[in-house]
Structures are given as C-alpha cells and as structure tokens.
Amino acid sequence: MILFRRNIISVALILIGVSFLVLGVWQEETEQVFRKAVNICMECIGLG
Amino acid sequence: MVKWIRNHIRNIVQICFTALTNGYAAGFVKGTIYKGDFKLICVPGLNCYSCPGALGSCPIGSFQAVVTSRNHFFSFYVVGFLLLFGALLGRFVCGWLCPFGLVQDLLHKIPFPKKLKKLPGDRILKFLKYIILIGFVVILPITVVDLVGQGQPWFCKYICPSGTLFGGIPLIAANPSLQSALSWLFTWKMVLLVILLFLSVVVYRPFCRYICPLGAVYSLFNPIAFYRYTVKKDKCTGCKACQSDCPMYIPVYKTPNSLECIRCGKCKNTCPHQAICSSFLKNDESEKIKRGNF
C-alpha cells in the first residue's frame, strides 16, 4: 500500500497504459500494426 | 570472470536483448522479413520491423502505421504500450534495451583524437528530438494525406537511420529485386546514417540525445517512473565526479532523474562516496531531492 501511495503517478500511468492497450486491441489497431510489420516497409528502408 | 561480467553487464544485456528480438536469422540469408504472430507486439526500443531479423514491431513505426491509416487518428495500442514501459522504466530502455543504442555504444569505443562531451549548441539541440516527435511522428503523418486519406510515416521515411542500417542495407544487399528500386531517398538516408555513425564515434549517443523520438517519449517519464535514481544527501559532497564521468555529461548530483539520463549506471560506480543509488521504489531520501529536468 505504501508503495502505491508513494508512486501514485507511476501507478496511474500504468493503469492508463493497460487501459489504452486493451482499447487499442479492441479497436483492432493490432491488425494495422501487424499488416504493416509483416510486409517490407519501403519507406522505412529508404526505397520510398 | 565475475568482475568482467559485472563491468560489462550493460553491454551483455544489450547484445542479448538485441539478439533475442532480432533472432530471425533466415531473414538475413534470404533477404526477407519475419511474418509470424510476434509482429503484433511492439518491442520497447527503436527496432525497425523491416529488419530481416526483427521478431517484433518498432513502437514509432507502429504508431505511424496506425495513425496514417484511414480508420484511426490515434493509436491507443502503441501509446498504451509506451505509457506502460515509460512508467516502469523511463529511459532505462534507451540505455539497456535499444539496438540502435547498442550500435552507438560500440562505435563510441573506437578511438578518436578528440572526443567531445557534447556537440556545440547542445542546450538547444536536445530539444530537437521533441520537435521531431511532434512534427514527424504525430502531426505530419496525421495531417498530410493523399486523395484517399492515406498519410506517410514521415519519421521512418525521411529520418530513421535505424531502418536504413538494420532494414535497408541487409535487405537490399540480399534481395536483388529491391536493388532496382534504389532512388534519391536511399541516398539521403545513407548520408544521414553515415553522418550519425561518424558522430557516434566522436560524441556519445548523438542520435539518442538530439533526434530519437522514442527517447523523447521515454525521457518525459524519467522523473516519475518506478525506476529512479536517488542521491543520498548525507553522503554526497558535490565533488562532481558523477558529472565528469557521465557519458551524457549530466550533473547527476543535482538532477539524478534528468530527462537526458539513459540509466547507464556509470555514475553509481564512479561516485567515491556511494551516494547514488537506483531503485524501483521511491524512498524517503528521494523525496528530499528536488526533481530536476536537465
């Protein structure tokens, strides 16, 4: 409990982070990430 | 042997983590990339997902991939991931888990006649990474769109040297079909890469200090993350040994949780009075230290 009280901002950010992660997965953002990541990103490697 | 491991523990962790997250060896041989399910998951450091060995996704690339699509204007998934890692570790990620950080660390070990503590204009240049984060990672990919509403990953396309080094060079070397697509953009990115690699020999981690948008994100968490540094006031004499030995030239005795600190831990070993310590818990002593920013 003392740990949580002393690191209240960090704990709050972690909770927000986990909520955002869940929301992102629910909104199917992971599919967008996956689709981009499994194809060679021509912009990333400098081919435009 | 134990002493050697203790002295090189950070490099060992960096190498192991880079090998672990870039372990798809077949990609380097065939000139292709990994297409498995792990690509759903972001890695904490700057690690191009078009690196032939990459098993995960780069958070900066992933953020741009989501916001440049027509369906989303914001990526809760990637921001949530960054909040989680940032709140836990801050820039510890830069110092210990980033593959491009490892490259810069190794390059800086090369002898050079005149090594610099920082580049001229450092006080202003260190804000450049925040401008790149806001401009090239957030605003330009969201606002500059084509006729069908599709944006571009501006940072990856025009700046990221990690993509050129880990993705572009090995893929183009091993894949003849990509060689025919070379253009001015590749030349531009190669010029940037060569300048950065040379600067990395002269000054410690120029990319992390001045350009990296991921470092900019994690830096904001340094003062509030679970993992923090503490200076014991009763032991610190203000001798500045920590600052003179700090590769980022941070006055650790004044600002142990500086936005620029990558948590390399050198100051802890250097301090002659063992006044600097790190922990995942905020203790009473750290309460007394004024939280500095730079």
Side-chain angles (χ1 to χ4, degrees), chain A residues 2-25 27-48, chain B residues 33 35-36 39-40 48-50 57 62 65-66 69 72 74-77 79-81 83-84 87-88 153 156-157 163 167-168 171-172 178 181-182 185-186 189 221 224 226 228 281-282 284:
Chain A
I2 292 169
L3 168 68
F4 281 162
R5 213 166 43 232
R6 285 179 180 167
N7 294 279
I8 188 91
I9 300 171
S10 326
V11 173
L13 288 172
I14 286 171
L15 291 176
I16 295 168
V18 173
S19 313
F20 273 26
L21 267 175
V22 173
L23 186 60
V25 173
Q27 288 193 336
E28 297 178 347
E29 290 174 22
T30 44
E31 277 184 29
Q32 195 69 40
V33 171
F34 185 72
R35 208 177 307 145
K36 183 78 176 177
V38 295
N39 293 297
I40 292 175
C41 167
M42 300 303 261
E43 295 99 336
C44 306
I45 65 170
L47 297 184
Chain B
I33 60 170
K35 294 176 186 285
K39 277 276 174 85
L40 276 174
C48 184
Y49 40 39
S50 285
S57 292
S62 301
V66 175
S69 71
H72 305 98
F74 184 76
S75 176
F76 287 100
Y77 177 64
V79 172
F81 177 86
L83 281 170
L84 194 60
L88 280 173
C156 298
K157 186 171 180 178
L171 279 178
I172 289 166
L178 293 174
L182 289 176
L185 186 62
F186 188 73
K189 289 194 75 178
F221 290 94
I224 52 170
F226 264 94
R228 267 175 295 207
L281 310 177
K282 185 179 172 185
D284 289 333

Side-chain angles (χ1 to χ4, degrees), chain B residues 57-220:
Chain B
S57 292
C58 170
I60 293 295
S62 301
F63 180 85
Q64 291 171 97
V66 175
V67 299
T68 52
S69 71
R70 278 169 288 175
N71 307 326
H72 305 98
F73 286 100
F74 184 76
S75 176
F76 287 100
Y77 177 64
V78 179
V79 172
F81 177 86
L82 293 174
L83 281 170
L84 194 60
F85 267 88
L88 280 173
L89 300 172
R91 287 196 86 174
F92 177 90
V93 173
C94 307
W96 293 69
L97 306 177
C98 180
F100 201 66
L102 169 65
V103 170
Q104 291 173 89
D105 280 357
L106 296 177
L107 283 169
H108 197 64
K109 291 181 190 293
I110 297 172
F112 191 77
K114 195 183 177 190
K115 298 261 185 189
L116 299 175
K117 283 277 184 191
K118 52 190 176 181
L119 285 182
D122 172 84
R123 286 181 68 176
I124 295 166
L125 277 176
K126 66 188 176 189
F127 291 106
L128 183 61
K129 58 181 175 288
Y130 300 102
I131 294 169
I132 288 173
L133 170 66
I134 294 166
F136 282 77
V137 178
V138 182
I139 294 177
L140 287 170
I142 293 174
T143 55
V144 182
V145 293
D146 60 17
L147 289 173
V148 291
Q150 189 91 36
Q152 288 186 8
W154 282 70
F155 175 74
C156 298
K157 186 171 180 178
Y158 295 107
I159 299 176
C160 185
S162 176
T164 317
L165 182 66
F166 294 126
I169 292 173
L171 279 178
I172 289 166
N175 193 330
S177 63
L178 293 174
Q179 290 165 11
S180 58
L182 289 176
S183 66
W184 66 269
L185 186 62
F186 188 73
T187 310
W188 161 250
K189 289 194 75 178
M190 278 301 292
V191 169
L192 275 184
L193 175 66
V194 169
I195 291 170
L196 261 167
L197 295 184
F198 172 71
L199 279 177
S200 301
V201 179
V202 182
V203 65
Y204 187 72
R205 291 212 182 197
F207 180 74
C208 306
R209 285 180 191 221
Y210 308 123
I211 297 171
C212 184
L214 193 55
V217 172
Y218 287 135
S219 74
L220 302 174

